[in-house]
Amino acid sequence: MSITIRTAETADALAIARLNRLSLGYDYPEDATRENLCTILQSPSDQVYVAVSGDEVVGYVHACAYQTLYAPPMKNIMGIAVDPTRRREGIGTLLLSAVERWAGETGAAAIRLVSGAGRTDAHSFYRCLGFDQGRDQRNFKKFLSGTAQQEAP
């Protein structure tokens, strides 16, 4: 079945929450996913694409502007997920190609992403698409008092 890539819509929140749970292990509530998606879709520095097969969303990617004081503008992949039953069908490649087109259209010099240390299959996939591994880093976070402390990346 053919895959279509399109810009995400608020109605995709349930499918994105499902993909986050099945593909990434993040059981984030659908209503919170919808709220975040609504905010992100209004941001000119963010883009969310979904992969659709028939009427079903089978993957998504979220990218945003990555501007630093030590490098040219880039795009940062904030999340990419493909339905585990649909992997190895080219869906991830199509999603990342959409980000690459957007990056080029907006003058970005590169695309970056962070991937969990244990996701070795994903690392191989990224390398096959021309991503090279930068320096090893540790991911630190500090929850602020009074905020939801659900496990986040």
Side-chain angles (χ1 to χ4, degrees), residues 1-3 5 25 32-34 37 44 56 58 61-62 68 76 79 96 98 109 120 124 130 133 142 144 147 151 153:
M1 187 172 280
S2 70
I3 304 296
I5 304 298
T33 300
R34 180 177 289 103
L37 181 60
E56 182 184 10
V58 295
V61 64
H62 169 207
T68 68
N76 193 21
L96 288 173
T120 55
S124 295
Q133 184 175 343
K142 178 180 179 181
L144 304 178
T147 61
E151 184 57 30

Side-chain angles (χ1 to χ4, degrees), residues 124-143:
S124 295
F125 168 69
Y126 299 137
R127 285 186 191 99
C128 285
L129 293 179
F131 287 82
D132 63 343
Q133 184 175 343
R135 55 177 101 165
D136 283 336
Q137 298 178 331
R138 299 282 185 232
N139 184 330
F140 294 90
K141 68 182 162 194
K142 178 180 179 181
F143 286 104

